[in-house]
């Protein structure tokens, strides 16, 4: 028998069984065909099509000659003869030719063969699921109503099941095999279809297996009472192959059966494939709240905890805020025994967040707008000298490059589905996804015990924020920035506020100078009219505008900028520079690059050639010129009044006076002649002040633009920094939102936010060897940049998810994240938060490498980067905790921080290799102060899984009395069958952690996964 060379877990006997006559009802098509590998040599054979297998027999009921696997193949009709078909394979195997008895039969075979592949089957299944879901949605209300009527007295219990999650515990008894894994399917009775829902962990024991991993059906699962739940048992070593050899047995039951049972469990017989023979028994228990009373051992009580699985699930998990912040939930439920032999119900939930894409898109949009505005501001400066124009060209070229890159990235992100919330680890180097965090999830654990309701613990997991697209050949951001600052010429820099003030001064001068000149001209014109009242009115306006002008010029920014110009010109004497526009600018001690004619001074000290008070004399001259005009007008008006008084008696007697001999025209000309030189002086003083002030403020605007762009490094370096920040921002925002939602009823926490801010504690598991050194350098800068972010709480317009998503405002270096809350929630906040008080972020980063590369770095390389990062973060964390202790001395647990901080300090100072205790202590401090916990490795898939599961089990042991003897069992259970294994599946399509046995020998023992979960 011939077969194509493919890796199939089948043998000859199985193929013969599938091709037999007694299974003919399972064939899609069968009949006689001419078959051959050459068109000219065809032989008559009996062919049977079953699924994606074409069985070729010598005759009907005869020997099986060949089997064709119809995957990755192309079926076509040959031209010239309508009866002939050709099957060609992408693998390069020789083409198979088929010929039927008629054209109609050939067309029928063509359709059947083209549909005989898994891709077509998958499309059909998807279509059927869509139809089923739409049909189920239309009839949900009708089904629920009829179900409640039929059940009578049990309607209340059924309603509770439909409203809250349903949790089942599974126990296998008397199995033939030594180990088994259970697969649970929800089967819709009317539709005759099933769907795999979830699996428990593998139990390797010769005794009866009780599975710690429970099965959770959320409120949106199709567990209506008429529906059936199917339990399927597989051999563990075959569970991934999905072949018939892995199948052991199955059983099914309805939710109605479980609810009607007098006991909280039902026992079912496991039937083999033939549907007749029993291979064991499976016990399915419905989880109920354990009664708090008596000293009964767990085995004498219901081995479960929560029927109402936490009222918080309904109150908080289904709240509009949580639905907006999280999506695509994966849930696992466990039962663990405490030291006093009671049961804990642990609910582990991993969720994606829409912030993974929404915040990077907002950030890109704001960066594009910021760079565009900067280009417009520089173009508005007008004509500049060659050097300053060349510098402006450098900045504009830098901005335009970033604008082009960001617009392209934003366009590509907008093409993605609006529901995109996840970037897999395999795409972390994608150019258009470099601003999106890798594998960002919220990892949450809820613990319910007989003495307490659900308590939540959160960790945000994501790939270390790093620019994988540009890689790490020259190191990460920290190294690149250090090199750039070392090479950069020392020059004065200006903040964004100072640049804004400079632009305001330029606008004021542009407005006031023509007003002053116009009023001065009007003053001269009015002086010819000999109208004292009109002259005084114009003078008052001139005085007002000139005083405004002088007040603007008295700004210290102008004086400091003029000094900086002289320092910079002096430092550039006899030097040259080539700008991005190709212009070669040379500076000598003679010229000053088109700047105002100002004398030079040596850098750092004052010379007699330049007086620091020179600028003060400029605006003082403007004021003195105005005072001279005012004094002259007063003198002229006083002379007029005295002449008027002296002429009045003579006029009454009709006598001649000297005034009668002076013509009005000559008298007014005398006024204008006396005012003209003073007005000219005022104009000259204003013109000189404007020239110098405009040069100074242009320098400030231009230097501020340089500081924000080219002074930060090349465009690629700036883009790298923006991308790293963009990856870190959604993680912190998501963590803050979850922390805020969980602390709305904690007055100390709400008081802590506006006073000392929120702590964001990053845990890194990167090694200080190879490319991961660059990743850690990127992460260090990205985490530090988060200190420039602040949160504020606002009132949401509606409770729609889009209106509850955070929005970004501000500019680079001073971003504000607005977190909207529904009206009822917002109204309950303290007044300080409702007034928009800013909540600052205090980020700290602790990193300990744990893999084999860190072993190399510690023995033969350099781990100083890790030591420096940990030391600096320890100091910042101590400062934050001290401030919190001084501000809120009565906060719960605040007094116990001193011992933890001392332990952390000692751990940082120790030289212990792979000192993971440092990470544990930092995490405890973070939880004590209501901080946001974030954990990262290269892609948040493998090492992060080890850290998160260890932290969860440590919390269960320290805060919920998990039995020490059950600690390792719980840890292995979470790693082998928990949410982090689902995370691996999402990222790489395999349920194996990417470790080898040799690598794990270098890992700390508590960071090693259980056997069978890696490879």
């Amino acid at each position: 028998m011939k077969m194509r060379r493919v890796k199939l877990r089948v043998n000859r006997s199985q193929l013969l069984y599938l091709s037999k006559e007694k299974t003919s009802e399972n064939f899609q098509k069968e009949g006689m065909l001419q078959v051959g590998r050459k068109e000219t040599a065809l032989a008559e054979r009996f062919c049977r099509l079953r699924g994606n297998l074409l069985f070729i027999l010598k005759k009907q009921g005869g020997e099986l000659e060949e089997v064709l696997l119809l995957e990755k193949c192309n079926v076509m009709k040959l031209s010239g003869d309508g009866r002939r078909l050709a099957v060609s394979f992408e693998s390069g195997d020789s083409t198979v030719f088929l010929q039927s008895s008629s054209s109609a039969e050939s067309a029928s075979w063509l359709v059947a063969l083209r549909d005989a592949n898994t891709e077509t089957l998958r499309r059909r299944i998807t279509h059927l699921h869509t139809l089923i879901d739409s049909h189920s949605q239309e009839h949900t209300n009708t089904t629920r109503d009829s179900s409640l009527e039929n059940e009578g007295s049990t309607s209340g219990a059924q309603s509770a099941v439909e409203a809250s999650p349903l949790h089942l515990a599974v126990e296998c008894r008397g199995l033939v095999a030594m180990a088994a894994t259970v697969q649970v399917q929800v089967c819709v009775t009317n539709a005759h279809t099933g769907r795999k829902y979830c699996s428990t962990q593998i139990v390797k024991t010769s005794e009866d297996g009780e599975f710690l991993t429970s099965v959770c059906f959320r409120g949106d699962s199709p567990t209506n009472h008429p529906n059936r739940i199917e339990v399927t048992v597989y051999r563990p070593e075959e569970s991934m192959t999905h072949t018939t050899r892995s199948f052991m047995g199955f059983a099914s039951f309805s939710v109605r059966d479980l609810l009607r049972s007098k006991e909280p469990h039902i026992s079912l017989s496991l039937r083999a494939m033939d549907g007749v023979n029993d291979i064991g028994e499976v016990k399915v228990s419905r989880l109920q709240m354990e009664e708090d009373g008596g000293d009964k051992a767990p085995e004498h009580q219901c081995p479960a905890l929560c029927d109402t699985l936490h009222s918080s699930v309904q109150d908080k998990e289904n709240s509009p805020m949580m639905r907006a912040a999280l999506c695509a939930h994966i849930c696992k439920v466990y039962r663990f025994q405490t030291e006093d032999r009671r049961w804990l119900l642990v609910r582990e939930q991993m969720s994606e967040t829409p912030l993974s894409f929404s915040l990077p898109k907002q950030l890109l949009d704001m960066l594009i707008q910021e760079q565009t505005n900067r280009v417009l501001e520089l173009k508005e400066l007008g004509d500049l000298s060659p050097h300053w124009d060349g510098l402006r060209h450098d900045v504009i070229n830098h901005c335009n490059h970033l604008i082009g890159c960001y617009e392209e990235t934003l366009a590509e992100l907008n093409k993605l589905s609006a529901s995109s919330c996840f970037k897999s680890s395999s795409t972390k180097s994608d150019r258009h996804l470099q601003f999106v965090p890798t594998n960002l999830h919220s990892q949450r654990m809820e613990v319910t015990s007989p003495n307490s309701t659900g308590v939540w613990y959160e960790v945000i997991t994501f790939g270390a924020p790093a620019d994988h697209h540009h890689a790490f050949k020259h190191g990460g951001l920290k190294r690149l920035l250090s090199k750039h600052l070392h090479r950069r010429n020392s020059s004065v820099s200006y903040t964004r506020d100072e640049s804004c003030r400079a632009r305001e001064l330029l606008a004021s001068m542009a407005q006031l100078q023509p007003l002053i000149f116009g009023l001065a001209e009007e003053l001269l014109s009015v002086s010819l009219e000999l109208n004292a009242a009109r002259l005084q009115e114009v003078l008052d306006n001139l005085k007002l505008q000139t005083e405004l002008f002088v007040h603007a010029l008295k700004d210290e920014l102008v004086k400091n900028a003029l000094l900086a110009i002289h320092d910079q010109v002096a430092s550039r004497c006899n030097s040259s520079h080539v700008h991005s526009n190709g212009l070669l600018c040379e500076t000598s001690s003679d010229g000053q690059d088109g700047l105002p004619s100002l004398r030079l001074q040596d850098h750092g000290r004052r010379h007699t050639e330049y007086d620091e008070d020179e600028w003060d004399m400029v605006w003082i001259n403007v004021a003195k010129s105005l005072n001279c005009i005012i004094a002259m007008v007063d003198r002229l008006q006083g002379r007029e009044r005295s002449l008027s008084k002296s002429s009045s008696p003579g006029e009454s007697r009709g006598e001649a006076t000297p005034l009668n001999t002076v013509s009005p025209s000559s008298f007014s000309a005398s006024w204008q002649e006396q005012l003209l030189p003073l007005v000219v002086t005022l104009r000259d003083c204003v013109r000189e002040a404007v020239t110098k002030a405009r040069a100074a403020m242009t320098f400030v605007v231009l230097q501020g633009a340089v500081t924000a762009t080219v002074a930060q490094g090349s465009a690629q370096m700036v883009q790298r920094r923006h991308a790293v920040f963009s990856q870190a921002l959604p993680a912190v925002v998501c963590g803050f939102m979850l922390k805020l939602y969980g602390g709305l009823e904690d007055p100390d926490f709400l008081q802590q936010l506006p006073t000392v801010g929120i702590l964001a504690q990053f845990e890194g598991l990167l090694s200080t060897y190879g490319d991961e050194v660059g990743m850690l350098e990127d992460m260090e800068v990205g985490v530090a940049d988060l200190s420039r972010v602040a949160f504020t709480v606002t009132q949401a317009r509606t409770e729609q998810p889009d209106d509850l998503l955070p929005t970004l405002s501000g500019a680079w270096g001073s971003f504000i994240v607005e977190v909207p809350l529904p009206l009822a929630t917002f109204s309950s906040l303290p007044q300080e938060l409702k007034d928009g008080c800013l909540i600052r972020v205090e980020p700290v980063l602790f990193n300990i490498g744990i893999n084999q590369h860190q072993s190399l770095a510690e023995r033969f390389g350099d781990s100083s980067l890790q030591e420096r990062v940990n030391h600096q973060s320890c100091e910042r964390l101590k400062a934050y905790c001290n401030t919190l202790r001084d501000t809120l001395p009565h906060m719960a647990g605040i007094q116990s921080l001193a011992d933890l901080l001392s332990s952390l300090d000692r751990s940082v100072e120790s030289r212990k290799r792979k000192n993971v205790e440092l990470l544990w202590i930092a995490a405890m401090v973070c939880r004590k102060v209501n901080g946001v916990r974030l954990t990262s490795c290269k892609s948040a898939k493998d090492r992060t899984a080890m850290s998160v599961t260890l932290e969860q089990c440590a919390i269960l042991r320290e805060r919920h009395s998990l039995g020490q003897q059950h600690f390792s069992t719980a840890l292995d259970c979470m790693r082998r069958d928990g949410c982090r294994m689902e995370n691996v599946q999402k990222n790489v399509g395999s349920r194996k952690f990417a470790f080898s046995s040799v690598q794990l020998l270098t890992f700390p023992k508590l960071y090693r996964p259980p056997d069978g979960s890696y490879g």
Side-chain angles (χ1 to χ4, degrees), residues 653-664:
R653 295 189 302 268
E655 299 176 355
T657 62
L659 187 60
N660 295 126
T661 63
V662 181
S663 66

Side-chain angles (χ1 to χ4, degrees), residues 80-187:
D81 190 344
R83 299 177 301 161
R84 289 199 172 192
L85 304 176
V87 183
S88 59
F89 299 93
E90 295 181 8
S91 62
D93 287 357
S94 58
T95 301
V96 177
F97 297 95
L98 307 173
Q99 181 175 314
S100 60
S101 57
S102 65
S103 298
E105 183 70 9
S106 176
S108 176
W109 274 104
L110 178 65
V111 173
L113 294 173
R114 283 181 173 176
D115 290 345
N117 57 76
T118 54
E119 184 62 33
T120 301
L121 182 62
R122 194 175 292 114
R123 287 197 299 266
R124 289 182 174 180
I125 292 173
T126 302
H127 178 65
L128 289 174
H129 278 161
T130 304
L131 294 178
I132 290 170
D133 292 342
S134 62
H135 178 77
S136 300
Q137 189 174 4
E138 292 174 0
H139 296 280
T140 297
N141 295 332
T142 305
T143 303
R144 183 183 294 122
D145 293 342
S146 61
S147 176
L148 291 174
E149 292 174 1
N150 295 335
E151 291 303 316
S153 62
T154 63
S155 61
Q158 294 172 5
S159 177
V161 172
E162 291 178 1
S164 64
L166 175 65
H167 297 266
L168 305 178
V170 182
E171 184 176 355
C172 292
R173 299 176 181 274
L175 289 180
V176 179
M178 294 179 60
T181 181
V182 172
Q183 205 174 78
V184 179
Q185 290 185 331
V186 179
C187 296

Side-chain angles (χ1 to χ4, degrees), residues 553-813:
L553 296 181
K554 291 168 67 176
D555 196 313
E556 283 294 316
L557 179 63
V558 181
K559 182 177 181 179
N560 294 335
L562 288 171
L563 293 174
I565 289 174
H566 283 79
D567 287 344
Q568 191 167 102
V569 171
S571 66
R572 291 191 296 108
C573 284
N574 302 315
S575 64
S576 62
H577 174 69
V578 179
H579 295 284
S580 60
N581 59 355
L583 176 65
L584 174 63
C585 289
E586 297 183 355
T587 310
S588 64
S589 57
D590 304 332
Q592 300 188 22
D593 251 356
L595 290 173
S597 179
L598 300 173
R599 292 186 297 270
L600 296 176
Q601 70 166 11
D602 290 340
H603 182 71
R605 64 186 185 92
R606 187 171 55 187
H607 270 203
T608 56
E609 294 180 0
Y610 181 77
D611 188 355
E612 289 185 354
D613 296 331
E614 182 177 341
W615 169 246
D616 293 337
M617 295 304 300
V618 172
W619 60 261
I620 288 174
N621 287 339
V622 175
K624 288 182 176 180
S625 300
L626 176 65
N627 291 334
C628 290
I629 293 175
I630 294 172
M632 178 59 70
V633 171
D634 289 341
R635 187 160 53 250
L636 293 174
Q637 288 178 338
R639 187 188 305 170
E640 180 188 11
R641 284 192 295 272
S642 62
L643 291 174
S644 298
K645 290 178 181 179
S646 61
S647 63
S648 295
E651 289 177 1
S652 61
R653 295 189 302 268
E655 299 176 355
T657 62
L659 187 60
N660 295 126
T661 63
V662 181
S663 66
S665 59
S666 61
F667 189 71
S668 60
S670 174
W671 277 33
Q672 190 180 56
E673 289 174 357
Q674 295 182 67
L675 286 174
L676 180 59
L678 300 179
V679 169
V680 171
T681 302
L682 176 64
R683 285 178 181 171
D684 292 340
C685 292
V686 169
R687 190 176 289 110
E688 181 186 5
V690 167
T691 301
K692 293 183 177 181
R694 182 178 290 130
M697 295 302 95
T698 299
F699 174 80
V700 171
V701 172
L702 193 56
Q703 202 64 41
V706 170
T707 301
T709 54
V710 295
Q712 299 298 319
S714 64
Q716 181 175 319
M717 190 186 303
V718 173
Q719 184 178 349
R720 185 187 194 105
R721 189 169 188 173
H722 290 168
V724 171
F725 174 81
S726 178
Q727 294 176 31
L729 181 63
V732 170
V733 175
C734 180
F736 172 78
M737 293 175 69
L738 295 180
K739 188 62 66 174
L740 177 64
Y741 297 164
L744 289 172
E745 299 176 0
D746 185 352
D748 288 340
F749 174 68
L750 295 178
Q751 186 180 357
Q752 171 187 348
L753 292 179
T755 52
V756 296
I758 186 80
L759 177 73
Q761 188 251 319
F762 289 80
E763 175 184 303
L765 301 168
L766 299 170
S767 67
T768 54
Y769 183 87
D771 283 350
E772 293 195 6
V773 176
M775 297 177 203
L776 182 56
E777 290 172 341
D778 274 0
M779 187 176 184
E780 180 186 2
V781 175
V783 169
D785 284 340
L786 290 172
S787 61
R788 304 174 184 177
V789 175
F791 291 98
T792 184
V793 183
T794 61
Q795 179 181 326
R797 293 178 296 177
T798 68
E799 293 190 4
Q800 294 299 317
D802 289 344
D803 289 333
L804 291 172
L805 287 176
T807 56
L808 197 62
S809 60
W812 177 257

